[in-house]
Amino acid sequence: MVRNCSACGTQRASVKRPKTGAAVCKECFYQQFETEIHDTITSHSLFNRGDRVAIGASGGKDSTVLAYVLSLLNKRHDYGLDLFLLSVDEGITGYRDDSLEAVHKNKVEYDLPLLVVDYRTLYGWTMDEIVSVIGKKSNCTFCGVFRRQALDRGAVQLKADKVATGHNADDMAETVLLNFLRGDFPRLSRCVDAVTGRDSALPRVKPFKYTYEKEIVMYAYFKKLHYFATECIYSPNAYRGYARQFLKDLEAVRPSAILDVIRSAEQLTFPPPGSKDTAMPVQKTCERCGYITSQRLCKACVLTDSLNNGTAADVNRKSRPGRVKNQSEAQVGHAVKAKE
Ligand code: SF4
Ligand code: ZN
């Protein structure tokens, strides 16, 4: 039986929204999808008028849709933002070179300035070279630290006020589960924040915090957006993969499961009431490169040293997930994400 759109009531329903189960026409899907992102932006005060916003652009579906939708909403609601695309080239042959092609297309299609920063220039090493030295086991530890700092350095070059990333609701829920499974409570309460580092010089914002991955894919498909769909060739993702599959199984039975996990984590506070352990590491700047750190040298400089002096395998062993020692190490896991 042909059903009419549950929103407008006039058009034929052609989409069943994974998030709500509602049968809607394409136009109403676009409208609802975009409005929900606008609501996240306004309810979490993600931007201020006049902000220069660097969109972390990997060429994947999330950042491609983010660039498209932010451009659209910026015009529609007159946010008054200056938008830029900021890409990190890790030097992964057969992956990043292809996905950067998609970013270059986005730059033209959305008429946004693009800056690409690369590991070779910043650290003297590409990921291909790093993997050839340390193997494929802890490569994401290096890559995550390097990418985080590379994005910040690129954003500073762009004189950006904020960095917007395409972390979606599925990513958020996965991270909640992983932090829970690792017993990492400090990160558990922070990992669902729509804004991290609000008081820092360069806050990171996540407009897709409540946006389902399946709907991002649908939106990109219907709108015929250009993105690159392949996973990184060095992605191990073993542990995250289990969390992802578990969530997908839950979502199949109850679509609200993803949002429910996020909402649960939003209720958590750290330290727990009554706890005395409130001390955060004192923030300093790296003696060598000036990047923010709680140690003498930032994590990227420590890792680069280990590559240069041939001890990278030892650093590797000490950087196992779950052994979070300080703020800069905590950033490692936060940044280790296969999607950007
Ligand atoms: Fe880097 Fe992500 Fe590839 Fe790991 S999976 S090497 S973090 S791009
Ligand atoms: Zn440094």
Side-chain angles (χ1 to χ4, degrees), residues 286 289 298 301:
C286 173
C289 74
C298 74
C301 283

Side-chain angles (χ1 to χ4, degrees), residues 156-331:
V156 168
Q157 277 187 53
L158 289 170
K159 297 188 173 54
D161 300 294
K162 280 165 191 157
V163 174
T165 60
H167 291 77
N168 60 44
D170 299 53
D171 300 325
M172 290 263 186
E174 272 168 37
T175 306
V176 170
L177 284 184
L178 284 175
N179 286 334
F180 183 79
L181 294 170
R182 289 173 179 149
D184 192 339
F185 293 101
R187 274 196 242 158
L188 186 55
S189 57
R190 286 199 311 263
C191 69
V192 289
D193 291 346
V195 185
T196 48
R198 195 181 277 278
D199 299 326
S200 71
L202 201 53
R204 292 188 176 220
V205 299
K206 301 181 182 95
F208 285 173
K209 174 182 174 181
Y210 299 120
T211 307
Y212 275 34
E213 185 172 82
K214 281 182 185 159
E215 300 208 343
I216 291 171
V217 174
M218 279 170 62
Y219 188 89
Y221 177 76
F222 290 140
K223 291 270 186 182
K224 299 186 172 53
L225 304 184
H226 288 115
Y227 68 89
F228 183 73
T230 306
E231 283 253 324
C232 171
I233 53 172
Y234 301 137
S235 171
N237 257 336
Y239 206 46
R240 183 175 278 273
Y242 286 118
R244 181 172 300 177
Q245 190 54 51
F246 177 58
L247 265 176
K248 295 237 177 293
D249 292 345
L250 288 178
E251 187 195 4
V253 180
R254 193 172 65 159
S256 69
I258 292 172
L259 279 184
D260 294 342
V261 170
I262 295 172
R263 300 277 186 212
S264 298
E266 285 174 343
Q267 302 305 314
L268 297 171
T269 51
F270 181 83
S275 164
K276 290 183 194 139
D277 183 17
T278 56
M280 288 292 284
V282 178
Q283 292 295 336
K284 300 181 274 190
T285 49
C286 173
E287 283 180 11
R288 185 175 308 152
C289 74
Y291 191 71
I292 193 161
T293 178
S294 58
Q295 309 294 309
R296 197 174 63 79
L297 292 181
C298 74
K299 193 75 183 166
C301 283
V302 171
L303 292 179
T304 307
D305 280 353
S306 76
L307 289 164
N308 291 336
N309 64 25
T311 58
D314 303 335
V315 173
N316 238 351
R317 274 195 291 278
K318 289 178 193 160
S319 300
R320 283 195 307 270
R323 190 187 149 275
V324 177
K325 280 182 72 178
N326 56 44
Q327 182 75 3
S328 63
E329 282 198 5
Q331 289 168 351

Side-chain angles (χ1 to χ4, degrees), residues 7-251:
C8 66
T10 53
Q11 299 298 313
R12 220 178 101 180
S14 54
V15 177
K16 186 177 178 209
R17 288 195 64 187
K19 186 172 182 178
T20 60
V24 289
C25 68
K26 270 191 202 168
E27 284 308 316
C28 286
F29 168 63
Y30 298 152
Q31 190 65 33
Q32 292 179 353
F33 181 90
E34 293 156 5
T35 301
E36 285 168 13
I37 295 162
H38 171 64
D39 290 346
T40 303
I41 289 170
T42 52
S43 64
H44 290 74
S45 306
L46 296 193
F47 303 118
N48 298 313
R49 194 167 185 77
D51 273 352
R52 291 169 67 88
V53 179
I55 302 169
S58 67
K61 63 184 184 329
D62 300 301
S63 60
T64 297
V65 175
L66 181 65
Y68 179 88
V69 172
L70 275 188
S71 303
L72 185 95
L73 295 177
N74 192 30
K75 290 186 193 121
R76 181 182 296 165
H77 298 285
D78 190 22
Y79 291 157
L81 304 177
D82 273 335
L83 300 175
F84 303 85
L85 297 174
L86 172 57
S87 295
V88 177
D89 182 356
E90 300 93 341
I92 302 176
T93 311
Y95 167 63
R96 189 54 84 212
D97 40 3
D98 290 337
S99 64
L100 280 174
E101 272 183 34
V103 180
H104 281 283
K105 278 190 188 144
N106 295 160
K107 163 187 161 30
V108 175
E109 286 164 352
Y110 311 152
D111 193 22
L112 295 175
L114 165 67
L115 173 68
V116 182
V117 289
D118 67 281
Y119 284 9
R120 150 92 54 210
T121 306
L122 290 174
Y123 311 111
W125 291 77
T126 64
M127 273 314 290
D128 285 339
E129 291 162 348
I130 293 171
V131 169
S132 75
V133 171
I134 66 165
K136 286 191 192 170
K137 223 170 171 191
S138 299
N139 49 299
C140 293
T141 301
F142 284 76
C143 193
V145 171
F146 286 170
R147 185 189 306 108
R148 182 175 184 87
Q149 191 174 116
L151 264 183
D152 281 354
R153 292 198 179 282
V156 168
Q157 277 187 53
L158 289 170
K159 297 188 173 54
D161 300 294
K162 280 165 191 157
V163 174
T165 60
H167 291 77
N168 60 44
D170 299 53
D171 300 325
M172 290 263 186
E174 272 168 37
T175 306
V176 170
L177 284 184
L178 284 175
N179 286 334
F180 183 79
L181 294 170
R182 289 173 179 149
D184 192 339
F185 293 101
R187 274 196 242 158
L188 186 55
S189 57
R190 286 199 311 263
C191 69
V192 289
D193 291 346
V195 185
T196 48
R198 195 181 277 278
D199 299 326
S200 71
L202 201 53
R204 292 188 176 220
V205 299
K206 301 181 182 95
F208 285 173
K209 174 182 174 181
Y210 299 120
T211 307
Y212 275 34
E213 185 172 82
K214 281 182 185 159
E215 300 208 343
I216 291 171
V217 174
M218 279 170 62
Y219 188 89
Y221 177 76
F222 290 140
K223 291 270 186 182
K224 299 186 172 53
L225 304 184
H226 288 115
Y227 68 89
F228 183 73
T230 306
E231 283 253 324
C232 171
I233 53 172
Y234 301 137
S235 171
N237 257 336
Y239 206 46
R240 183 175 278 273
Y242 286 118
R244 181 172 300 177
Q245 190 54 51
F246 177 58
L247 265 176
K248 295 237 177 293
D249 292 345
L250 288 178
E251 187 195 4

